[in-house]
Amino acid sequence: FIGAGNIATSMVAGLISNQFPAENIWVTSPTQDHLRMMEQRFNVRTTKNNLEAIQQAEIIILAVKPPIVKEVMEESADVLNT
C-alpha cells in the first residue's frame, strides 16, 4: 500500500481479517505516526520509502489522495518500468 490513511487502514483490516499474512503486506507513509499505528494494529511491514515497498510488492495499491497520485507515480516510474 502506498499510503497509510483511512482507505489503506480499512483495506489492510479486511485483508488481515480474511487471514492474509500480515508479513506480506507493506505500507508506506511520510508520517511516522501512521506507520507506527499500522505496525501496532496489524503487525505489517512499514517504510517511509515508497520505492522500497514497490520493490517488495507483487501488487501495488495506491491509497493516496488524488493530488498526490502524480507525484507518487513520477517518483516510482523507473522502478515500475523494470
Side-chain angles (χ1 to χ4, degrees), residues 30-48:
T31 307
Q32 189 62 42
D33 288 343
H34 288 163
L35 297 178
R36 191 174 303 111
M37 183 277 299
M38 295 295 272
E39 289 171 356
Q40 292 172 350
R41 185 169 173 192
F42 302 113
N43 201 33
V44 296
R45 298 173 187 232
T46 63
T47 180
K48 286 186 169 187

Side-chain angles (χ1 to χ4, degrees), residues 1 5 11 13 33 37 39 41 46 54 57-58 61 65 74:
F1 287 85
M11 293 178 77
D33 288 343
M37 183 277 299
E39 289 171 356
R41 185 169 173 192
T46 63
I54 289 169
E58 290 182 32
I61 299 172
K65 294 182 179 171
E74 287 173 349

